[in-house]
Amino acid sequence: MFSGEIWFWRGPAPWHFVTVPDEESAALEAVAAMVTYGWGMVPVTARIGDTEWPTSLWPKNGGYIVPLKAWVREAEGIEVGDTVDVRLSVGA
């Protein structure tokens, strides 16, 4: 489990994310080759609070980011700038 701040990427297809810290990203990198399905995406089950969902980590700047869909943010009442605790299970 790790804690991170929710941030928003405005790009052509806007998304909300939490950045996986360096130490956890390094541990993920060690198993990524065994589970990735392309473009460095790593399938996981993510959990914030009482909400759990299947997703994929996106590679970014040598680490990973967790995409947060609108329904997850709504279910947990979280917004940009909030700090959340995230639990990941690899290979979901």
Side-chain angles (χ1 to χ4, degrees):
M1 181 164 44
F2 66 89
S3 295
E5 184 176 319
I6 297 173
W7 55 277
F8 179 71
W9 182 67
R10 192 172 290 266
W15 277 90
H16 291 78
F17 296 97
V18 175
T19 300
V20 178
D22 291 343
E23 185 176 333
E24 287 81 357
S25 285
L28 288 163
E29 184 67 30
V31 298
M34 292 182 279
V35 296
T36 189
Y37 58 86
W39 305 294
M41 307 290 266
V42 178
V44 298
T45 297
R47 182 178 195 80
I48 295 176
D50 293 328
T51 306
E52 185 174 277
W53 72 102
T55 190
S56 292
L57 303 179
W58 299 12
K60 180 168 175 49
N61 299 332
Y64 295 96
I65 55 178
V66 181
L68 301 177
K69 294 182 179 181
W71 72 267
V72 172
R73 297 189 318 274
E74 290 170 12
E76 292 299 321
I78 52 179
E79 299 180 9
V80 170
D82 290 348
T83 298
V84 294
D85 293 329
V86 182
R87 183 176 304 274
L88 300 174
S89 298
V90 177

